[in-house]
Amino acid sequence: MKEQLESLRKRAEEELKGTMDRQGLEGLRIKYLGKRGELTAILKQMRSLSEQERPVVGQFANELRALLERELADRAAELHEAETALRLKREEIDVTMPGKRHALGHRHPLSLELNEIKEIFVGMGFDIVSGPEVEYDYYNFEALNIPKDHPARDTQDTFYITDKILLRTQTSPVQVRTMEKQKPPIRMISPGRVYRSDAVDATHSPLFHQIEGLVVDRGITFANLKGTLETLIRHMYGEDSVVRFRPHHFPFTEPSAEVDVQCFSCHGEGCRLCKGEGWIEILGCGMVHPKVLSNCGIDPEEYSGFAFGMGLERLVMRKYSIDDLRLFYENDVRFLNQF
Ligand code: DAH
């Protein structure tokens, strides 16, 4: 019987070595140590042994069971380790491999410029407000001192929705809405989309962007207007930029002016950028017309104010010598990536 057990041990150990996975190990355990396993079967024959043999063989058999159990466990641990090593090898990352580049988008040049302008005004204590793009004729024209037959209406080819409702042609109606809602002091800018029924070409688009500005308080003068706009322009075009106020006419401001900066490309000599003029016009402005103040319920005897309006596309075109407005809306990455 001892020999039987000895040969069982040899076979079991051999098979154990040849087993490469956990399922195989479990199979072996059942085959030798299970209820109907070979070792169990041999032990069942113990009854036929003599009194003296039984304890000796019994001890031997128990030792063999313990040995096989240990060997099964050791082999299981070995297999587990090998599996882990293999998995780690498969998951190994080569940190010296070149990375995959992701194409990153970035801000549109109009947004970049607008953000810069907003920051300058927020620094001067201005609020940023917005108004509707579908607007009443009243706010877009009437309240701004542009009555029905006024020639200024002809220069702003308007998309009418009904006789009273239109797509705003300028951001100036936000001045009126702000003054109706808010008592002075008022300090705000209002950027946004405006619409004019123009055919598309290099300098015209039915949709473009303006930035409106409005300050109303007691004792506001043209000097405040100049100081504010000069601050803006120095931030935008550099400390040494030269500014010029040129008399002009707008129905909603009196007096009114257009503001030019000396061409930052030729410094006034005249070049392609400024079309030989030496100066570049960048915005319209003026002191808020007393009629506009009283239209909004603000007493022009007590308060005064200034306003200004500028076209965002034009500012950016001038800054970067862009000669075609359509580039802003085509979203060609070869153009956009340059900013
Ligand atoms: N709204 C004018 C336009 O679209 C621009 C403008 C000029 C706005 C003078 C103003 C201003 O507030 O004071 O042409």
Side-chain angles (χ1 to χ4, degrees):
M1 198 171 231
K2 222 169 158 180
E3 274 151 31
Q4 247 181 318
L5 288 171
E6 192 53 43
S7 92
L8 182 142
R9 181 179 69 80
K10 279 206 185 112
R11 261 189 303 123
E13 284 181 343
E14 204 105 305
E15 284 181 48
L16 207 54
K17 270 195 220 126
T19 306
M20 293 317 287
D21 55 37
R22 271 187 256 181
Q23 259 176 328
L25 281 183
E26 180 59 11
L28 278 187
R29 197 187 61 76
I30 293 168
K31 181 174 172 193
Y32 290 103
L33 305 177
K35 256 192 210 154
R36 295 200 192 115
E38 289 185 31
L39 182 59
T40 321
I42 293 173
L43 289 174
K44 276 183 189 154
Q45 296 165 26
M46 293 261 290
R47 259 169 288 151
S48 64
L49 294 175
S50 68
E51 292 277 324
Q52 295 101 309
E53 280 177 316
R54 216 178 283 157
V56 184
V57 176
Q59 195 193 350
F60 189 79
N62 280 333
E63 278 170 10
L64 179 57
R65 165 176 284 275
L67 176 75
L68 286 182
E69 276 172 357
R70 220 181 317 119
E71 285 180 345
L72 270 168
D74 287 351
R75 183 74 184 135
E78 247 174 60
L79 284 179
H80 180 68
E81 215 168 281
E83 264 171 41
T84 310
L86 196 70
R87 188 153 41 83
L88 285 179
K89 180 117 193 80
R90 239 185 280 124
E91 290 174 4
E92 200 173 78
I93 294 169
D94 181 356
V95 292
T96 65
M97 290 271 281
K100 278 189 201 150
R101 255 181 215 292
H102 290 277
L104 264 193
H106 61 89
R107 287 191 204 290
H108 192 277
L110 292 179
S111 302
L112 288 172
E113 184 71 12
L114 178 57
N115 284 348
E116 208 173 291
I117 291 170
K118 278 183 182 170
E119 214 165 283
I120 297 166
F121 279 104
V122 167
M124 290 193 279
F126 281 59
D127 294 327
I128 295 168
V129 303
S130 60
E133 292 170 27
V134 178
E135 186 53 286
Y136 288 108
D137 181 287
Y138 174 77
Y139 287 105
N140 195 77
F141 291 128
E142 208 80 24
L144 288 164
N145 202 26
I146 313 173
K148 277 264 171 318
D149 50 1
H150 197 284
R153 290 202 179 206
D154 300 341
T155 64
Q156 303 196 358
D157 296 307
T158 310
F159 286 116
Y160 277 96
I161 292 167
T162 68
D163 348 326
K164 287 196 179 130
I165 298 173
L166 44 75
L167 296 183
R168 68 179 181 188
T169 60
Q170 49 187 354
T171 43
S172 304
V174 189
Q175 286 187 34
V176 181
R177 288 182 173 274
T178 305
M179 286 189 277
E180 277 184 355
K181 266 201 300 246
Q182 191 186 330
K183 279 179 102 50
I186 293 169
R187 254 180 301 181
M188 70 82 160
I189 58 164
S190 183
R193 286 189 273 262
V194 300
Y195 301 86
R196 292 188 195 178
S197 128
D198 284 322
V200 175
D201 65 23
T203 54
H204 293 85
S205 162
L207 179 157
F208 58 102
H209 298 79
Q210 286 189 337
I211 304 163
E212 195 74 15
L214 175 70
V215 171
V216 182
D217 202 353
R218 291 192 181 88
I220 297 291
T221 69
F222 206 93
N224 300 124
L225 168 60
K226 284 187 78 173
T228 305
L229 293 180
E230 278 170 7
T231 305
L232 168 72
I233 289 160
R234 298 238 156 85
H235 268 100
M236 279 190 341
Y237 297 112
E239 262 327 299
D240 54 355
S241 46
V242 184
V243 184
R244 165 173 98 173
F245 285 71
R246 194 164 28 75
H248 199 73
H249 172 264
F250 297 104
F252 35 86
T253 45
E254 180 59 37
S256 304
E258 277 190 333
V259 175
D260 304 333
V261 270
Q262 197 172 69
C263 179
F264 29 81
S265 179
C266 64
H267 299 283
E269 301 275 307
C271 68
R272 218 175 69 93
L273 182 62
C274 59
K275 301 203 174 76
E277 306 250 326
W279 295 90
I280 295 175
E281 182 236 312
I282 58 160
L283 57 83
C285 62
M287 300 306 292
V288 181
H289 198 292
K291 250 169 113 177
V292 175
L293 289 174
S294 53
N295 283 344
C296 303
I298 291 176
D299 181 2
E301 297 294 321
E302 189 178 352
Y303 292 104
S304 56
F306 67 78
F308 55 88
M310 50 200 164
L312 183 59
E313 281 81 353
R314 277 222 260 168
L315 288 180
V316 180
M317 287 172 82
R318 272 154 200 189
K319 191 159 164 181
Y320 298 107
S321 302
I322 298 165
D323 56 10
D324 196 325
L325 184 66
R326 288 168 289 199
L327 289 166
F328 289 126
Y329 312 116
E330 284 166 354
N331 284 333
D332 185 331
V333 289
R334 289 169 301 180
F335 171 71
L336 298 177
N337 277 340
Q338 294 178 47
F339 300 92

